Amino acid sequence: MSSNLYIPKTCKHCGNAFTARTTVTKYCGDTCAKKAYKARKRKEKIQATLSNDMQQQKEAVQVPNLNTVNNKDFLSVTEASQLIGVSRWTIQRMIKQGRLKAVPFGRKRIVARWQIENLFN
Protein backbone atom coordinates (compact mmCIF):
# COMPACT_ATOMS: atom_id res chain seq x y z
CA MET A 1 0.00 0.00 0.00
CA SER A 2 1.61 3.23 -1.09
CA SER A 3 1.07 6.68 0.26
CA ASN A 4 -0.22 9.60 -1.76
CA LEU A 5 1.57 12.01 0.60
CA TYR A 6 4.38 14.25 -0.57
CA ILE A 7 5.78 16.13 2.40
CA PRO A 8 8.74 18.51 1.98
CA LYS A 9 11.24 17.89 4.79
CA THR A 10 14.85 18.53 5.74
CA CYS A 11 17.21 15.64 6.48
CA LYS A 12 18.16 15.48 10.19
CA HIS A 13 21.66 14.26 9.32
CA CYS A 14 22.88 16.17 6.27
CA GLY A 15 20.42 19.08 6.24
CA ASN A 16 19.39 18.65 2.59
CA ALA A 17 15.78 19.19 1.52
CA PHE A 18 13.85 16.13 0.29
CA THR A 19 10.30 14.95 -0.28
CA ALA A 20 9.05 12.40 2.24
CA ARG A 21 6.31 9.91 1.54
CA THR A 22 5.47 9.28 5.21
CA THR A 23 5.07 11.54 8.20
CA VAL A 24 7.74 9.81 10.27
CA THR A 25 10.62 9.97 7.78
CA LYS A 26 13.63 11.81 9.21
CA TYR A 27 16.41 11.19 6.71
CA CYS A 28 16.75 11.76 2.98
CA GLY A 29 17.98 8.26 2.27
CA ASP A 30 19.42 5.03 3.52
CA THR A 31 23.00 6.32 3.73
CA CYS A 32 22.02 9.27 5.94
CA ALA A 33 19.93 6.97 8.15
CA LYS A 34 22.90 4.62 8.58
CA LYS A 35 25.33 7.46 9.29
CA ALA A 36 22.94 8.97 11.83
CA TYR A 37 22.56 5.59 13.52
CA LYS A 38 26.33 5.18 13.78
CA ALA A 39 26.70 8.70 15.17
CA ARG A 40 23.95 8.02 17.72
CA LYS A 41 25.59 4.76 18.85
CA ARG A 42 29.00 6.48 19.05
CA LYS A 43 27.53 9.17 21.33
CA GLU A 44 25.92 6.50 23.52
CA LYS A 45 29.27 4.72 23.93
CA ILE A 46 31.06 7.96 24.78
CA GLN A 47 28.36 8.91 27.27
CA ALA A 48 28.50 5.46 28.90
CA THR A 49 32.29 5.70 29.21
CA LEU A 50 32.12 9.20 30.69
CA SER A 51 29.48 8.24 33.22
CA ASN A 52 31.49 5.13 34.15
CA ASP A 53 34.64 7.25 34.63
CA MET A 54 32.74 9.76 36.77
CA GLN A 55 31.39 6.94 38.93
CA GLN A 56 34.91 5.51 39.38
CA GLN A 57 36.23 8.95 40.34
CA LYS A 58 33.49 9.36 42.94
CA GLU A 59 34.40 5.97 44.41
CA ALA A 60 38.10 6.89 44.39
CA VAL A 61 37.53 10.00 46.51
CA GLN A 62 38.36 8.90 50.00
CA VAL A 63 36.43 10.11 52.98
CA PRO A 64 38.90 11.18 55.66
CA ASN A 65 38.94 8.81 58.59
CA LEU A 66 38.56 11.07 61.61
CA ASN A 67 39.49 8.28 64.03
CA THR A 68 43.08 8.33 62.79
CA VAL A 69 43.16 12.13 63.04
CA ASN A 70 41.74 12.04 66.57
CA ASN A 71 44.52 9.73 67.80
CA LYS A 72 47.47 11.79 66.53
CA ASP A 73 49.42 14.30 68.61
CA PHE A 74 50.94 16.04 65.60
CA LEU A 75 48.90 16.89 62.52
CA SER A 76 49.64 18.05 59.02
CA VAL A 77 47.93 21.19 57.76
CA THR A 78 45.37 19.10 55.86
CA GLU A 79 44.60 16.92 58.87
CA ALA A 80 44.27 19.99 61.10
CA SER A 81 41.84 21.55 58.65
CA GLN A 82 39.77 18.35 58.58
CA LEU A 83 39.74 18.21 62.37
CA ILE A 84 38.44 21.76 62.75
CA GLY A 85 36.31 21.74 59.62
CA VAL A 86 37.95 24.65 57.80
CA SER A 87 39.95 24.88 54.60
CA ARG A 88 43.68 24.26 54.38
CA TRP A 89 44.16 27.90 53.46
CA THR A 90 42.59 29.03 56.73
CA ILE A 91 45.14 26.97 58.66
CA GLN A 92 47.95 28.36 56.46
CA ARG A 93 46.69 31.89 57.15
CA MET A 94 46.59 31.25 60.90
CA ILE A 95 50.19 29.98 60.78
CA LYS A 96 51.28 33.07 58.85
CA GLN A 97 49.50 35.36 61.34
CA GLY A 98 51.19 33.60 64.26
CA ARG A 99 47.99 32.26 65.81
CA LEU A 100 49.28 28.70 65.24
CA LYS A 101 52.86 27.51 65.39
CA ALA A 102 53.93 25.00 62.77
CA VAL A 103 57.24 23.20 62.50
CA PRO A 104 58.61 22.37 59.04
CA PHE A 105 58.98 18.63 58.63
CA GLY A 106 60.41 17.80 55.22
CA ARG A 107 58.06 19.34 52.69
CA LYS A 108 55.18 19.49 55.17
CA ARG A 109 54.34 21.64 58.13
CA ILE A 110 53.34 19.89 61.33
CA VAL A 111 51.01 21.45 63.91
CA ALA A 112 50.77 20.20 67.48
CA ARG A 113 47.31 19.08 68.50
CA TRP A 114 47.39 21.02 71.77
CA GLN A 115 47.78 24.27 69.83
CA ILE A 116 44.59 23.61 67.92
CA GLU A 117 42.80 22.72 71.16
CA ASN A 118 44.06 25.96 72.75
CA LEU A 119 42.40 27.97 69.98
CA PHE A 120 39.04 27.13 71.49
CA ASN A 121 40.00 27.68 75.16
Side-chain angles (χ1 to χ4, degrees), residues 78-94:
T78 305
E79 292 170 341
S81 67
Q82 290 172 353
L83 182 66
I84 301 174
V86 296
S87 70
R88 290 181 330 128
W89 304 114
T90 302
I91 300 294
Q92 295 282 9
R93 203 176 316 114
M94 292 173 77

Side-chain angles (χ1 to χ4, degrees), residues 56-121:
Q56 288 176 353
Q57 286 177 355
K58 286 180 183 177
E59 291 172 359
V61 173
Q62 297 176 354
V63 177
N65 191 355
L66 293 179
N67 291 334
T68 58
V69 174
N70 287 335
N71 296 333
K72 291 184 177 181
D73 290 331
F74 299 98
L75 305 169
S76 68
V77 173
T78 305
E79 292 170 341
S81 67
Q82 290 172 353
L83 182 66
I84 301 174
V86 296
S87 70
R88 290 181 330 128
W89 304 114
T90 302
I91 300 294
Q92 295 282 9
R93 203 176 316 114
M94 292 173 77
I95 292 169
K96 190 174 183 179
Q97 293 170 352
R99 293 170 54 190
L100 275 177
K101 184 179 177 191
V103 178
F105 188 77
R107 295 179 65 188
K108 290 184 174 185
R109 288 181 155 193
I110 304 297
V111 179
R113 177 186 212 67
W114 62 270
Q115 290 183 347
I116 294 174
E117 292 172 356
N118 286 343
L119 287 174
F120 300 105
N121 294 333

